[in-house]
Amino acid sequence: MGWSSLLNYRGTVSSTQSEAKELAEAGVPEGTAVLAEEQTAGRGRQGRRWHSPKGAGVWMSVVLRPEMELKDTPQLTLLAGVAVCQTIREHTGVQAAIKWPNDLLVGERKICGILVESALSQGQIRYIIAGIGIDVAAAEEDYPEELRRVATSLRIESGGRIFDRVALAENVLTELQKLYRLYAAEGFAPISRMWSGMSATLGRRVLVGAPETDRVSGIAVALDETGCLVVEDEAGSLHSVHSGEIAWI
Ligand code: BTN
């Protein structure tokens, strides 16, 4: 099936993830996307809520139908991070960088989050929904108190410019399609190189948020060819981290 460039526009929805899932179940081709003005129950990773006020961001979900093994899907989330980071840098001049696995930061504050959800049947991927949330138009005072120090927007980082959200979403989709084709043709290696060039992570001291027993802290030294983050602990041992989240230390 080919790549669709259809961007379905919605007003208020609970979450574009659910809207995209409905479309995927109805059989739309991959690349089909849903962009909403507002989400009343925007979802973040690990069951967190995603603040998605009206007109303030690109709240978008994209249907993908990759032929890949389930264990490789973290590579797709890294690919989506590269697509958004590249788009933000090129189209707004804001120097976003990627915190592993795929949060986009400007300085220490988050400007974009990505949530990749897989629908499976007997261990096989039926489809994947890649959810992308980019803070575009919020001013400092628009953020609730608890987000003010940790979140930022393209408006704040560009000295007050208001970017067209639909144009941004279209540019993200174009970049996503380009990288998705590259990935299908050449595998993860070129994506890994691009990710490393946009990383805010490599060279930093990190704590890997695994369960207490196998917590690892050390320097993030590389992204390996499978998408794992390689962390070197104080004794010089290397640990490959497959999924989860990291904290700066
Ligand atoms: C995270 O950083 O925790 C991921 C946030 C993902 C937010 C986007 S906004 C569009 C899509 N719809 C959702 O409900 N979540 C994702």
Side-chain angles (χ1 to χ4, degrees):
M1 212 185 309
W3 179 279
S4 157
S5 305
L6 195 62
L7 182 55
N8 295 274
Y9 182 77
R10 306 268 198 275
T12 301
V13 298
S14 61
S15 161
T16 54
Q17 292 295 96
S18 318
E19 300 284 316
K21 196 167 170 210
E22 256 180 46
L23 292 176
E25 292 289 347
V28 295
E30 63 180 348
T32 302
V34 181
L35 175 70
E37 226 12 61
E38 176 183 31
Q39 300 185 115
T40 53
R43 301 205 294 270
R45 288 200 304 271
Q46 314 214 326
R48 287 186 293 252
R49 201 178 143 258
W50 182 258
H51 181 63
S52 340
K54 194 170 199 156
V58 168
W59 319 132
M60 175 167 77
S61 299
V62 189
V63 176
L64 300 173
R65 300 184 184 278
E67 286 179 15
M68 70 195 307
E69 289 184 44
L70 189 57
K71 69 169 177 46
D72 292 332
T73 52
Q75 298 175 356
L76 264 190
T77 83
L78 296 164
L79 183 154
V82 172
V84 182
C85 193
Q86 177 85 356
T87 304
I88 289 180
R89 287 182 176 193
E90 257 178 37
H91 294 274
T92 71
V94 170
Q95 284 307 296
I98 313 174
K99 179 179 180 188
W100 188 88
N102 55 7
D103 281 351
L104 300 196
L105 307 181
V106 182
E108 297 297 312
R109 296 199 286 172
K110 181 159 164 174
I111 201 157
C112 166
I114 294 173
L115 173 69
V116 173
E117 296 179 314
S118 312
L120 307 176
S121 160
Q122 293 170 341
Q124 303 279 79
I125 299 170
R126 291 177 53 229
Y127 57 83
I128 282 178
I129 308 289
I132 297 167
I134 310 173
D135 278 14
V136 178
E140 300 268 6
E141 60 274 19
D142 296 332
Y143 283 108
E145 189 58 38
E146 70 275 14
L147 289 182
R148 221 165 270 179
R149 274 181 311 117
V150 293
T152 190
S153 69
L154 292 173
R155 176 175 176 183
I156 295 168
E157 298 300 331
S158 64
R161 288 174 66 193
I162 304 282
F163 294 94
D164 182 326
R165 285 170 291 124
V166 176
L168 262 175
E170 283 170 347
N171 288 323
V172 168
L173 288 173
T174 305
E175 196 58 42
L176 195 60
Q177 180 184 15
K178 217 158 68 186
L179 295 184
Y180 195 65
R181 289 209 167 127
L182 179 65
Y183 179 65
E186 296 180 29
F188 187 62
I191 307 297
S192 172
R193 281 195 294 275
M194 293 172 84
W195 188 97
S196 300
M198 296 175 182
S199 148
T201 311
L202 301 182
R204 282 191 75 154
R205 278 183 61 73
V206 299
L207 173 69
V208 180
E212 289 302 331
T213 44
D214 37 82
R215 279 216 155 168
V216 175
S217 64
I219 309 283
V221 288
L223 186 74
D224 75 11
E225 66 286 354
T226 67
C228 289
L229 185 68
V230 183
V231 177
E232 182 175 355
D233 68 20
E234 270 167 23
S237 300
L238 298 178
H239 304 262
S240 290
V241 186
H242 180 257
S243 60
E245 297 198 349
I246 57 168
W248 303 140
I249 49 174

